[in-house]
Amino acid sequence: MAAMDVPEGWGSMWRKIERWRMSACGWIKHLPKCAYWWLRKHFEAFLEPANENSKSNLFHLFLIAGAFCVVIVCTAFAIVYFEAESSGGTFGDFIGGTLNPILTFLTFMALLITIVLQQKELAETRNELAASARALQDQHISLDRQNFETTFFQMLTLHNTIVNSIDLEWKNRRPNSYDAMSGDINRRAAGRDCFKQFFANYKQYYDDVGELDDKERLQRAYDQFWDWRQQDLAHYYRYLYNVLRFVHDYKGISDKLRYVKLLRAQLSDYELLMLFYTALNKNGLNYWIYIHDYGLFDNLPPSMLIKPEHKDLYSAKSFGEPKNPPLEIWPPSQLAATWEREAALDAEATTDENEI
């Protein structure tokens, strides 16, 4: 009906009727979809009940099937009663023609339910097997790490034994800044204290070589030093190299730096200083990969080097650079207060993200 044909005063009612019609059309349009999802929701609830107990659902299915059978039998008796002349054939045809499709359908549904339940059991079995595989993998990783740590700490112990077994005794023929701490002619050192004398010996050779190309000078000085001290240091450097190679080449450990730091923390400044110059000669170059990857000279003060420019012979990463900037807040009570404020802000931000 056109707007001009609507009687006066009926405009608002007409608009209401139009809205109701549009709403009804919308409901009718979405009714099949709603029915589909309603049926699917109840079917899934039937297959997977919330309490994981299917007895109630199966009992309801039995009641529905029994109700169908009762209705069919009652209908059949009604037909027999009202059509007595042909009651036998009618009764048989009705029962056979009605019950057979229903029973076939119920059998088919039972088969489908069995298949779905078997799929669910198979999925749960696969999940359990996957969880067992992950547990075995985690156990293998844990055992592998345990075996690695056992071997590593045993190697550290033996390394310290080698260091402690070093023993020096010498005459103070040419006193220098390291030897002239006392007026004794005979000097002795043991363990890590020996590396202080080793460096004094190497520096003396370096000074005696004279003005040469720095590469040649370092090599020639170390050759002369090694001819004298090889019997004291060869075992030490071979074993230290094997400890580093063991950690570096191990396949089952990802956080290798953690263990190298433990080894690095046991090396004294003079041990690091001698390693610095040992790895510069032709027989010690194999150390460079470990020095670079793990920052072995992170704790070595550059001021201890024979020349400051020798630091440039290694990469910046070898000295743990770039290093974290020094703390500017003092005293530690202020550091603690700052840390507490930052921790509270982080906790508050985490709480806000969880609420979102």
Side-chain angles (χ1 to χ4, degrees):
M1 181 181 293
M4 64 181 61
D5 297 331
V6 177
E8 186 178 355
W10 284 50
S12 60
M13 182 176 292
W14 179 259
R15 285 191 294 272
K16 290 181 180 179
I17 294 173
E18 186 66 17
R19 285 197 298 269
W20 292 342
R21 185 182 69 83
M22 295 296 293
S23 178
C25 290
W27 276 103
I28 294 173
K29 181 179 179 180
H30 292 88
L31 184 60
K33 185 184 292 186
C34 294
Y36 167 79
W37 286 109
W38 183 85
L39 291 173
R40 180 172 178 176
K41 177 181 177 181
H42 284 75
F43 182 73
E44 291 178 353
F46 176 80
L47 293 179
E48 297 181 2
N51 58 358
E52 298 183 355
N53 188 353
S54 300
K55 292 182 179 180
S56 177
N57 292 337
L58 294 176
F59 178 70
H60 292 157
L61 185 62
F62 172 76
L63 289 180
I64 293 173
F68 271 110
C69 293
V70 171
V71 170
I72 292 171
V73 171
C74 292
T75 305
F77 277 111
I79 293 173
V80 170
Y81 179 78
F82 290 107
E83 298 181 7
E85 296 180 358
S86 58
S87 60
T90 303
F91 181 81
D93 292 341
F94 182 81
I95 293 294
T98 306
L99 281 183
N100 286 340
I102 292 176
L103 295 176
T104 303
F105 174 75
L106 292 176
T107 303
F108 177 70
M109 289 299 297
L111 178 61
L112 288 180
I113 292 173
T114 303
I115 293 174
V116 171
L117 293 177
Q118 288 179 348
Q119 288 178 343
K120 181 182 177 182
E121 291 178 357
L122 289 174
E124 291 177 351
T125 302
R126 285 195 296 269
N127 292 335
E128 291 178 358
L129 290 175
S132 299
R134 287 192 297 269
L136 290 175
Q137 181 67 19
D138 293 341
Q139 184 179 5
H140 173 73
I141 293 174
S142 177
L143 289 175
D144 192 38
R145 178 177 288 273
Q146 183 177 355
N147 292 334
F148 167 80
E149 290 184 348
T150 300
T151 304
F152 174 74
F153 288 113
Q154 288 177 349
M155 294 180 79
L156 282 188
T157 302
L158 183 54
H159 174 74
N160 287 326
T161 303
I162 294 173
V163 173
N164 294 329
S165 65
I166 301 175
D167 188 8
L168 296 179
E169 184 174 354
W170 71 97
K171 290 185 177 180
N172 196 6
R173 296 178 179 177
R174 302 175 61 180
N176 53 43
S177 59
Y178 299 101
D179 295 328
M181 296 178 64
S182 66
D184 298 335
I185 294 178
N186 294 325
R187 298 287 304 280
R188 292 198 61 181
R192 285 186 164 83
D193 293 337
C194 298
F195 286 86
K196 186 176 182 180
Q197 181 62 29
F198 290 149
F199 178 67
N201 298 148
Y202 174 73
K203 186 176 182 302
Q204 188 65 56
Y205 282 119
Y206 181 86
D207 294 336
D208 291 344
V209 167
E211 296 298 330
L212 295 173
D213 174 73
D214 210 28
K215 177 181 177 181
E216 182 66 23
R217 187 177 183 182
L218 289 168
Q219 184 62 57
R220 188 174 297 183
Y222 200 88
D223 288 341
Q224 296 177 12
F225 167 78
W226 193 250
D227 287 341
W228 184 25
R229 293 300 188 186
Q230 180 178 359
Q231 71 277 9
D232 298 315
L233 289 173
H235 189 195
Y236 171 87
Y237 283 117
R238 283 197 302 267
Y239 195 79
L240 178 62
Y241 177 81
N242 278 279
V243 175
L244 291 169
R245 186 176 66 176
F246 170 73
V247 177
H248 184 76
D249 294 343
Y250 204 87
K251 302 300 183 183
I253 302 297
S254 58
D255 52 340
K256 298 177 181 179
L257 179 60
R258 171 188 175 189
Y259 298 96
V260 177
K261 283 183 177 180
L262 293 175
L263 172 62
R264 187 179 68 192
Q266 297 192 45
L267 301 178
S268 66
D269 289 349
Y270 282 100
E271 284 182 88
L272 291 175
L273 194 59
M274 284 306 303
L275 179 61
F276 181 97
Y277 288 104
T278 298
L280 289 176
N281 80 88
K282 59 186 178 183
N283 296 322
L285 285 176
N286 289 335
Y287 274 103
W288 78 267
I289 183 64
Y290 312 126
I291 294 172
H292 172 78
D293 279 359
Y294 304 110
L296 284 182
F297 297 145
D298 184 28
N299 299 324
L300 175 62
S303 59
M304 296 182 67
L305 300 177
I306 297 175
K307 290 183 178 181
E309 55 267 26
H310 285 171
K311 180 180 178 181
D312 297 333
L313 298 175
Y314 290 93
S315 64
K317 186 179 178 182
S318 301
F319 289 86
E321 298 177 353
K323 297 181 181 293
N324 294 327
L327 297 175
E328 298 180 356
I329 303 175
W330 190 89
S333 60
Q334 295 297 324
L335 287 171
T338 302
W339 186 86
E340 291 290 347
R341 285 196 299 270
E342 292 177 353
L345 290 175
D346 291 342
E348 184 178 352
T350 303
T351 303
D352 294 339
E353 291 177 0
N354 294 334
E355 290 178 354
I356 294 174

